[in-house]
Amino acid sequence: MSQTKIAIITGITGQDGSYLSEFLLSQNYEVHGIIRRTSTFNTDRIDHMYVDPHSPDAKLFLHYGDLTDGTTLRRILEEVKPIEIYNLGSQSHVRVSFDSPEYTVDSVGMGTLRLLEAVRDYQQRTGIEVKFYQAGSSEMFGKVQAVPQSETTPFYPRSPYACAKVYAHWQTINYRESYDLFACNGILFNHESPRRGETFVTRKITRAVARIVAGQQKKLFLGNLDAKRDWGYAKDYVKAMWLMLQQDRPDDYVVATGETHSIKDFLELAFSHVNLDWQDYVAFDERYLRPTEVDLLIGDPAKSEEKLGWKRSVDFPGLVQLMVNADLAAVGISNGNQDGSEDFAVMNRSSAATVD
Ligand code: NAP
Ligand code: G4F
């Protein structure tokens, strides 16, 4: 009988954590997620997968922990004995990282170091290999030094968040080279979905479109509309994370679409999908500007495509449409096209997953 494959995911309650959990469960993994204790439920994105842990059918288990708390991370690792760890947890909002730089760097930079140290000790003591995935970001390219950006493009981070991700990136490489860890960096460009946090620009726009159509909102306040991003679909991107850990050797990979679009392009498609003109609704608020901006991101996915056999399944117009449709469904409007309705069902269940 083959052994159960066990994975730990930090950041399981986030957008990527929820899609990765679904994917790993579909591959017959036992999935252990680390969640933060909060005074209100924070498990909306994973409730649909959760089965009472007393049931023999339970394959998803939750543990309280935090990337700022190294002792607990070690304890969970010892208890769970995973073969793979996906480090997705982070204060992931770039604008917020300027307001809370210390906490951002602690969770993103030091959090990764704490986890790597725990893996190093566990592996050295037990001789059991634990494969490690680090959620790196295209934000690390910041003030871009080449177009498009690939694995060899130098970093030029422009926010506390991006600086912390660069630190985590290099620590991951150092632990790979110093202690022979199977540790990979994914350098993922922006990826979105109906499960995207409501304060990131894409979801802020698609949610506003739906609420404007439903008569629940009149204006949408945004910051810089000229920045360009390489936007893909989150569900495609979590497969690349898993593929990296299935290779013979650990390595670093850019995951991107190879296309770039401005916020204005996104607005144009999202509003025209419901026959509205975005210029009638969007207003400027300087609160959403950043002290330093990342003007242009466009990734070169050639290495992921060649070595991992990874390919995106959704293009830019398809992504915008499925996000608008899911947000329309959330306000009770069917747009005929049911793209994203599965996610609407996920996001509207009441929270049930708990840790005893
Ligand atoms: P997300 O939706 O913001 O989710 C972040 C997750 O991290 C949540 O589960 C959050 O828990 C958890 N978290 C926050 N602080 C933590 C802490 N101190 N200890 C433990 N967990 C903590 O982010 P995402 O979009 O899924 O992104 C996943 C990862 O990929 C992040 O590391 C992000 O920085 C990185 N990334 C994202 C993109 C993108 O475009 N989405 C691109 C490149 C890299 P709560 O639910 O309790 O807040
Ligand atoms: O949606 P955003 O907040 O995403 P950003 O800053 O690109 O970061 C996201 O992608 C990174 C990968 O490159 C991840 F590492 C990171 O964790 C996160 O997931 O902003 C996108 C662009 C920016 O140029 C911003 O200035 O949209 C611009 N923008 C304009 N108005 C706005 C707004 N961004 C937000 N969040 N809110 C606005 O009102």
Side-chain angles (χ1 to χ4, degrees), residues 284-298:
F284 173 70
D285 186 336
E286 65 177 10
R287 264 195 311 158
Y288 301 116
L289 295 178
R290 292 142 192 221
T292 42
E293 179 60 280
V294 171
D295 296 320
L296 166 71
L297 290 174
I298 176 167

Side-chain angles (χ1 to χ4, degrees), residues 15 90-95 135-140 161 165 188-192 196 199-204 220-231 263 285 288-290 293-295 297:
Q15 169 188 258
S90 92
Q91 188 304 90
S92 73
H93 201 286
V94 175
R95 177 69 191 83
S137 166
S138 51
E139 276 294 305
M140 299 188 294
Y161 167 81
K165 283 286 184 190
L188 270 54
F189 283 63
N190 298 52
H191 45 280
E192 319 292 315
R196 184 60 143 151
T199 61
F200 295 96
V201 78
T202 56
R203 184 75 198 291
K204 190 170 165 182
L220 168 61
F221 291 94
L222 294 174
N224 174 17
L225 305 186
D226 295 319
K228 290 183 152 188
R229 291 289 181 274
D230 178 330
W231 279 299
I263 318 297
D285 186 336
Y288 301 116
L289 295 178
R290 292 142 192 221
E293 179 60 280
V294 171
D295 296 320
L297 290 174

Side-chain angles (χ1 to χ4, degrees), residues 81-92:
K81 300 182 175 43
I83 57 162
E84 292 170 12
I85 297 186
Y86 296 87
N87 184 30
L88 311 187
S90 92
Q91 188 304 90
S92 73

